[in-house]
Amino acid sequence: DEMVGAVAAFARAALDEQRFFSRAAVNRVWAWCFGRGLVHPVDQMHSGNPASIPEVLDILAADFVTHGYDLRQLVGAIALCRAYRASSRIAGNEPPAGAFAAYPLKPLTPWQWSLSWIVVTEPPRVVPTDDHAARRTAYLAAEKLAAEFVGRIDPVGDGFQRALYQATTVEALYLAHHASIQQRLVPRDENLAAQIMQLPQLDERARLAWRTILGRAPTSTERQELVAWWNAEQASDAERVGALLWSLVTSAEFRFNH
């Protein structure tokens, strides 16, 4: 009974001291979203380690309390802020990490990578955007397929220390040689490889591959390099398409959230 009473008293004290509890919670969620906290490291919240942008931490902490410690509300507020929507591209000198002036590169988690892999390699599903039940069913189906790959993809690191991430040889060998990876690069059932095979021009094929996998068009340099490689590669059309897709899905650009 004494132990239960002590835990209850501690919980009441934590909630009553809204400033510390709410700031600590906001800082942890911010770090989860950005890979770095407003107070960094996240477990060193004290007067000698102030927040890099204290006003943002205070505003989000107050809003978190106002909304009854609603984590969904907090995540939504962070996702809609200008810092989270910023580009990772830096035009001039690299700004301080604590300024959040550019979006920090983050390796995808095993689940994120696996779901992304399924989305780009599975035949497309046309799901009405206003049909929430159908969208949920499609997501659960994709999640079930992704489960095969999750255990083979490297985690992003301990806690929030994503800056320490480094791909392992095990992951590299798996992506390069495992049959489960290679089979999804073979044209079948209107998957991405099959859609690319149906296009007559290499430039059209490149645009579809880059747009689907990387969300952008290929650069002029990438197009030139692709043409040179395509003409020099002694392989069947399907094998060249598979190799092209493999090079994109195993690239750093696909591996990182940016």
Side-chain angles (χ1 to χ4, degrees):
D1 290 343
E2 291 183 1
M3 179 62 70
V4 173
V7 171
F10 176 79
R12 284 195 301 272
L15 291 175
D16 289 340
E17 182 52 63
Q18 295 179 347
R19 179 174 171 79
F20 178 80
F21 177 80
S22 61
R23 281 162 53 88
V26 166
N27 193 51
R28 290 252 169 193
V29 175
W30 183 279
W32 182 80
C33 293
F34 285 91
R36 176 188 178 91
L38 288 160
V39 175
H40 186 77
V42 293
D43 57 354
Q44 296 295 318
M45 292 193 73
H46 52 76
S47 58
N49 186 33
S52 58
I53 314 177
E55 296 83 358
V56 172
L57 183 58
D58 290 341
I59 290 171
L60 287 174
D63 186 69
F64 186 47
V65 174
T66 300
H67 287 89
Y69 303 97
D70 187 336
L71 287 174
R72 290 192 178 190
Q73 168 71 23
L74 174 58
V75 171
I78 293 174
L80 292 174
C81 75
R82 188 170 63 181
Y84 192 78
R85 292 179 287 135
S87 171
S88 60
R89 296 182 181 274
I90 301 171
N93 296 329
E94 184 172 353
F100 299 99
Y103 190 82
L105 290 174
K106 296 189 303 180
L108 299 180
T109 66
W111 265 115
Q112 288 172 332
W113 188 93
S114 300
L115 282 170
S116 299
W117 164 250
I118 291 299
V119 168
V120 300
T121 57
E122 273 290 295
R125 295 185 178 91
V126 179
V127 181
T129 57
D130 58 346
D131 190 337
H132 299 295
R135 289 172 60 190
R136 176 175 173 77
T137 299
Y139 175 81
L140 291 176
E143 193 175 64
K144 185 176 181 180
L145 292 172
E148 175 185 356
F149 306 97
V150 173
R152 308 296 187 102
I153 304 301
D154 293 337
V156 298
D158 297 331
F160 302 110
Q161 306 301 315
R162 291 190 174 94
L164 302 178
Y165 169 82
Q166 182 175 356
T168 65
T169 303
V170 173
E171 179 183 290
L173 290 173
Y174 174 72
L175 295 178
H177 301 293
H178 201 278
S180 295
I181 296 293
Q182 300 301 323
Q183 289 168 0
R184 289 188 168 276
L185 302 174
V186 176
R188 63 173 178 82
D189 302 330
E190 295 300 317
N191 66 355
L192 180 57
Q195 293 179 55
I196 290 176
M197 289 285 291
Q198 294 170 6
L199 299 174
Q201 301 297 324
L202 181 56
D203 192 58
E204 294 178 301
R205 293 178 168 187
R207 286 201 303 268
L208 178 58
W210 260 261
R211 181 64 62 187
T212 302
I213 297 174
L214 301 181
R216 62 173 178 84
T219 65
S220 58
T221 300
E222 288 170 334
R223 291 181 181 182
Q224 292 171 6
E225 292 177 350
L226 174 61
V227 170
W229 170 80
W230 193 273
N231 293 333
E233 184 71 11
Q234 299 297 317
S236 68
D237 209 26
E239 289 173 336
R240 285 185 291 186
V241 167
L244 169 62
L245 298 183
W246 180 87
S247 69
L248 294 177
V249 297
T250 57
S251 67
E253 186 170 348
F254 186 77
R255 186 66 175 87
F256 282 74
N257 185 13
H258 50 85

